């Protein structure tokens, strides 16, 4: 049998030499994430010839479905959500290696059946396959799935070798410190940490990966990246969308669990951590943990370090939209926050005394995720003494999305005889420099899972360090119910109390466009 006869999927699909023969199993195969992100990501990896030469996909879900029906659903969702046009020739090659396996997540027999299915596929392929399990189910079944990987022997496949089984776990990773510790313990009973890939899709975004390059490959920045030169840092992750059809999930999550505890904290960690000893995944993750552990505990209560709020009716993209309480699957007396803002202090040599402001919300004025580093103004600057000049603080704005790029704001003299200055922007835009055809976060992360690179995934102690900070806050809000919950009109930049968080230091949110 020649190389290319062994399996229908072999026909020249791999230019990624490091990707071993792989069987990817998606648990939660009929879920929203699978349709919108995972299947399109696999398809786009195939377009770029980045999938392993021997590759099989198994969708695992509770609903019984023949392979053919799952293939038809997958083709439909890929066509709908792919970032590049659907090419039937490429799809046909994936389709031939796509299967469906039905079973309950807490049923050990279903996992034995899955193991047998993988063996059958291996026989047909004439090669053994590394197992990569992608858990994209509701969190209530995470532990059962992990335990069943242990019981069925799926977790131990290839243990200690490059192709040992790998498990990719979607968020939410716990809902507080105790549940995250418990989930980590269940995982540790069944897998080695080297097999575990906790996903935070923000780490897969190009601009987020570029943070390391920006900071550590441009040595002119490092001398400025500290409390002597930085006045304060703002991180905004604002969405224009409301909760849409995800009310059932969101009602038990809220903005803090959904965005702050994970995505926004990862942006903070990469922005503020010290330089890692090397680009090795463990060195980077060590530095992120050290940073998260040096954040001072939050002051709770009125006038403290956190503000939460819920959107009321307003306008989104010029169209009237309902308030959160009128959304589908939301309790009329819900205390769930759709906006959260924090003021953080990092107690280390680099950052002591520099406020870090973080905020995230749904139904805000614009979709924008950015990190803004504002530098200090000289106390006795040459121009500061002359009231004719209006000198703006220097600022570096890293725009994570949309319109990815970064901008350095400097002062310049306005041409002419008048003594006038004006802030100007030195701007780099990904689309202008590299074109706009960049891979989606999930493409990078699935590929990294397959080749076993954990740099862009979160370690167990990292998630616990973040939950340690947030748990007392979330408990205090749960106890208070709606008391102290602010509101903001849909389509605004959040409640006034969110602005007041910055006022003691004379700061203001940099609302996009300002
Ligand atoms: C998800 C949240 O993790 O991230 C969603 O659950 C949110 O509520 C989404 O909309 C935002 O991701 P992105 O990549 O669109 O910024």
């Amino acid at each position: 049998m020649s190389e290319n006869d062994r399996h229908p999927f072999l026909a020249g699909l791999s230019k990624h030499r490091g990707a071993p023969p792989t069987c990817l199993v998606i648990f939660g195969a009929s879920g929203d994430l699978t349709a919108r992100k995972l299947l399109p990501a696999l398809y786009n990896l195939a377009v770029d010839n980045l999938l392993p030469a021997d590759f099989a996909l198994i969708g695992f879900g509770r609903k019984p479905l023949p392979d053919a029906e799952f293939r038809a659903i997958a083709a439909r969702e890929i066509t709908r959500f792919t970032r590049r046009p659907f090419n039937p020739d490429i799809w046909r090659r994936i389709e031939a290696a796509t299967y469906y396996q039905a079973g309950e997540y807490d049923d050990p027999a279903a996992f034995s059946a899955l193991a047998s299915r993988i063996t059958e596929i291996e026989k047909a392929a004439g090669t053994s396959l590394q197992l990569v399990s992608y858990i994209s189910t509701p969190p209530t079944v995470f532990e059962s799935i992990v335990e069943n990987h242990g019981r069925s022997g799926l977790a131990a496949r290839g243990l200690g070798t490059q192709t040992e089984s790998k498990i990719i776990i979607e968020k939410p990773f716990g809902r507080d410190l105790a549940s995250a510790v418990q989930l980590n313990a269940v995982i540790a009973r069944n897998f080695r940490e080297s097999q575990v890939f906790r996903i935070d899709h923000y780490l897969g975004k190009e601009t987020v990966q570029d943070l390391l390059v920006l900071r550590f490959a441009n040595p002119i920045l490092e001398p400025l990246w500290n409390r002597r030169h930085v006045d304060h840092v703002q991180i905004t992750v604002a969405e224009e969308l409301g909760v849409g059809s995800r009310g059932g999930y969101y009602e038990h999550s809220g903005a803090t669990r959904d965005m702050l505890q994970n995505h926004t904290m990862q942006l903070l960690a990469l922005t503020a951590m010290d330089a890692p000893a090397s680009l090795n995944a463990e060195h980077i993750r060590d530095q992120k943990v050290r940073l998260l552990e040096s954040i001072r505990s939050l002051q709770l209560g009125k006038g403290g370090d956190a503000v939460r709020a819920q959107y009321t009716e307003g306008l989104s993209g010029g169209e009237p939209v309902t308030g959160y309480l009128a959304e589908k699957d939301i309790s009329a007396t819900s205390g769930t926050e759709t906006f959260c803002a924090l003021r953080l202090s990092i107690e280390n040599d680099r950052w002591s005394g520099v406020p870090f402001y973080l905020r995230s919300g749904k139904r805000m004025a614009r979709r924008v995720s950015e990190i803004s580093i504002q530098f200090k103004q000289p106390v006795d600057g040459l121009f500061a003494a002359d009231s004719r000049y209006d000198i703006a603080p220097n600022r570096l704005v890293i725009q994570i999305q949309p319109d990815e790029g970064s901008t350095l704001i400097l002062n310049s003299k306005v041409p002419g005889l008048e003594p006038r200055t004006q802030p100007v922007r030195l701007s780099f835009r990904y689309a202008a420099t590299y074109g706009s055809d960049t891979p989606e976060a999930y493409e990078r992360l699935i590929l990294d899972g397959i080749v076993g690179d954990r740099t862009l995934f979160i370690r167990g102690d990292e998630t616990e360090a973040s939950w340690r900070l947030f748990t007392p806050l979330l408990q205090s809000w749960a106890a208070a119910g709606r008391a102290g919950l602010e509101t903001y009109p849909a389509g605004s930049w959040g409640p006034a109390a969110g602005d007041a968080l910055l006022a003691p230091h004379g700061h203001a949110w940099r609302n996009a466009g300002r």
Side-chain angles (χ1 to χ4, degrees), residues 37 171 201-202 205 237 239 241 246 249-250 258-259 262-263 362 367 369 401:
K37 299 288 181 189
K171 67 183 263 263
H201 79 277
Y202 268 57
K205 291 183 189 279
V237 181
E239 295 186 277
L241 293 175
R246 295 169 73 225
Y249 152 78
Y250 198 84
D258 189 47
M259 300 295 286
N262 37 57
H263 306 323
K362 296 235 181 255
R367 173 172 178 256
S369 298
Q401 63 187 27

Side-chain angles (χ1 to χ4, degrees), residues 262-288:
N262 37 57
H263 306 323
T264 319
M265 291 306 278
Q266 285 298 320
L267 297 183
L268 169 70
L270 290 171
T271 304
M273 72 182 193
D274 285 338
S278 78
L279 287 175
N280 172 290
E282 294 319 313
H283 287 153
I284 294 174
R285 293 166 2 146
D286 286 347
Q287 292 299 41
K288 286 198 283 169

Side-chain angles (χ1 to χ4, degrees), residues 86 110 140 145 177 274 294 302 309 313 347 370 442 445 449 491:
F86 183 77
T140 42
I145 295 175
L177 179 58
D274 285 338
S294 48
K302 202 168 165 51
E313 61 184 16
E347 308 214 302
E370 66 168 37
Y442 279 97
L445 294 174

Side-chain angles (χ1 to χ4, degrees), residues 221-240:
L221 292 178
E222 178 60 14
L224 303 176
W225 215 260
N226 55 53
R227 66 193 159 92
R228 278 175 298 287
H229 298 287
V230 173
D231 180 62
H232 74 278
V233 177
Q234 299 185 10
I235 303 182
T236 294
V237 181
E239 295 186 277
E240 222 175 305

